[in-house]
Amino acid sequence: MAEREAVYAAEVGKLIDAGREVMAGAGPAGRPRVADIVAAAGLSNDAFYRHFRSKDELVAAILEDGTERLCGYLAHQMGKEADARGRVVRWVDGVLSQARPDSAQTTRAVLVNIGSVNREAMSSPASVNARLAALLHQPLRELGSGDPVFDARLVAGATVGVLSDHLWRDDPPTPEGIARVVEACLRMVSGPA
């Protein structure tokens, strides 16, 4: 039984990786077919449908996997900082890094494809923004936020909005732009000086 579960987990991993690669290769206007993804994964249609009822479910799994990866990356980067402000800086930089050339094409492609997914395929209980925001609760509390959960949602919404602008303009953020986002987010939390 354990061996079969390992095989199934490997198949799911191959399908998620292949889906992400095929979407990125198709660009923002592309909507890859299941056949394209299965071929890229080196698997059969039977293997695909053993794990996913539709391409929508695969796209939702790709978003879930990407969210987990991004949250893990952000937590790792934030862990390198001793103070709360430094952790917020790392968080903002990490989120905006999704618009850098090495990530932007894949991020755009997944967002385009997720936009066409029906709601039943989305099983995640928390939105991507809420999961990203959860990483900010403690740093914002340390910075004096009276409502770190609410403030983290504001910071996440603002930062993801800036990310979206950079992605669709195909214009990576500059260090100066990242610093401005950080300062704006910190002002939202602390109020006017």
Side-chain angles (χ1 to χ4, degrees), residues 18-19 22-23 26 30-40 45 48-49 55 58 113:
V22 170
M23 282 184 217
R31 302 246 196 267
R33 300 171 305 139
V34 168
D36 302 327
I37 295 165
V38 168
N45 280 345
F48 180 89
Y49 289 107
K55 187 179 88 171
L58 173 63
N113 280 276

Side-chain angles (χ1 to χ4, degrees), residues 59-137:
V59 172
I62 291 168
L63 178 64
E64 177 72 21
D65 180 68
T67 301
E68 285 298 315
R69 288 178 189 220
L70 180 56
C71 286
Y73 170 74
L74 294 173
H76 175 73
Q77 293 301 312
M78 292 170 75
K80 295 177 180 180
E81 296 293 332
D83 71 326
R85 187 180 197 292
R87 292 194 302 275
V88 172
V89 170
R90 292 279 189 154
W91 184 93
V92 170
D93 184 63
V95 170
L96 294 180
S97 74
Q98 301 306 295
R100 292 183 183 132
D102 58 332
S103 300
Q105 185 171 339
T106 300
T107 303
R108 268 192 304 274
V110 170
L111 292 176
V112 164
N113 280 276
I114 203 70
S116 65
V117 169
N118 75 48
R119 291 184 87 66
E120 291 86 46
M122 300 298 288
S123 62
S124 179
S127 74
V128 173
N129 282 9
R131 292 175 62 198
L132 295 173
L135 295 168
L136 291 171
H137 294 171

